Amino acid sequence: MLSRWQGGFAALIVTLLTGVLVILDINDEAMRRWWAGHALTTDTVSGLLVLAITLLVVDQVVRLRQLNSRAQAVAAQAAIIMTQAGRALNAVTQATAKGAHDSDGDAASSEVRTYMMMLLVGAPVLIDAQVSRNFLEQAQIVGGLMALSVGMTAKSSGQAAAKDARLDDAVQRLRAAATPLLQVLTPETQAAVRGDESA
């Protein structure tokens, strides 16, 4: 089966080829006589071109419908991951703050593990389309940085500040990557995912 872009490109090429042949048939007397003199070849070529266009276009329409019908499931999975990312980030922030207790580190480790498990469960749903795949990749980067933050034992405030900046930047990119996926959800659900208490 052709990928989405290969199928679209093939449909475009076959359609353009058919258009060129129709234009040549209308404008070129010699070609029109040749096609008229070779009836079986004409019928075979025209039949194959119509079949190819039909199959390729139908394949693209079916693929688009499948992607659209999966948009709700993808959005729900992204919302779940975003909610857990927020919980894990809060736990990591508490665990890496000055004066944090060992229990804070244990709680952060548990939240990060849960987040990573959610990524594993959600990966098959998110990997199909480019937009959701970008979200998944960014979510994995955030998970890796959170795991680094929890495991980091460096005492230097400079290292801690650099780590926090990288994690904050990755979380901002994750939110940006989630925005197009979450558009299919209701405004109330989107607000809940963002953590807007007023919703």
Side-chain angles (χ1 to χ4, degrees):
M1 183 173 215
L2 297 175
S3 74
R4 181 178 173 195
W5 301 113
Q6 289 172 332
F9 184 70
L12 180 66
I13 293 297
V14 171
T15 304
L16 287 174
L17 176 63
T18 304
V20 167
L21 288 174
V22 168
I23 290 169
L24 287 173
D25 186 47
I26 292 170
N27 295 323
D28 190 342
E29 181 70 31
M31 179 169 271
R32 192 168 34 246
R33 276 195 310 269
W34 190 91
W35 287 117
H38 299 87
L40 181 59
T41 304
T42 302
D43 290 344
T44 303
V45 169
S46 63
L48 288 174
L49 286 173
V50 168
L51 180 64
I53 289 172
T54 303
L55 290 177
L56 291 170
V57 169
V58 166
D59 180 58
Q60 291 304 301
V61 168
V62 168
R63 191 181 299 265
L64 283 174
R65 283 187 179 173
Q66 286 173 342
L67 287 175
N68 289 338
S69 66
R70 293 185 64 174
Q72 195 74 29
V74 168
Q77 194 66 49
I80 291 167
I81 289 172
M82 287 298 296
T83 302
Q84 181 58 32
R87 289 176 51 129
L89 185 62
N90 288 339
V92 167
T93 302
Q94 286 181 344
T96 57
K98 286 187 178 179
H101 302 313
D102 288 342
S103 61
D104 293 329
D106 293 341
S109 294
S110 176
E111 291 293 345
V112 171
R113 268 194 307 276
T114 302
Y115 174 74
M116 297 303 268
M117 290 300 294
M118 287 183 172
L119 287 182
L120 286 174
V121 169
V125 174
L126 297 169
I127 205 154
D128 283 341
Q130 185 63 42
V131 174
S132 58
R133 190 177 314 118
N134 289 341
F135 169 77
L136 177 62
E137 290 169 359
Q138 192 56 48
Q140 290 168 336
I141 291 169
V142 168
L145 288 172
M146 283 194 288
L148 269 171
S149 296
V150 169
M152 186 178 273
T153 56
K155 305 279 194 249
S156 167
S157 61
Q159 287 178 334
K163 171 260 308 175
D164 288 342
R166 279 188 356 197
L167 183 55
D168 290 342
D169 183 52
V171 168
Q172 290 304 318
R173 287 195 309 258
L174 178 62
R175 288 186 179 127
T179 300
L181 297 176
L182 300 176
Q183 294 302 316
V184 300
L185 298 176
T186 63
E188 295 81 13
T189 306
Q190 291 181 35
V193 171
R194 288 192 306 269
D196 186 358
E197 296 297 329
S198 64

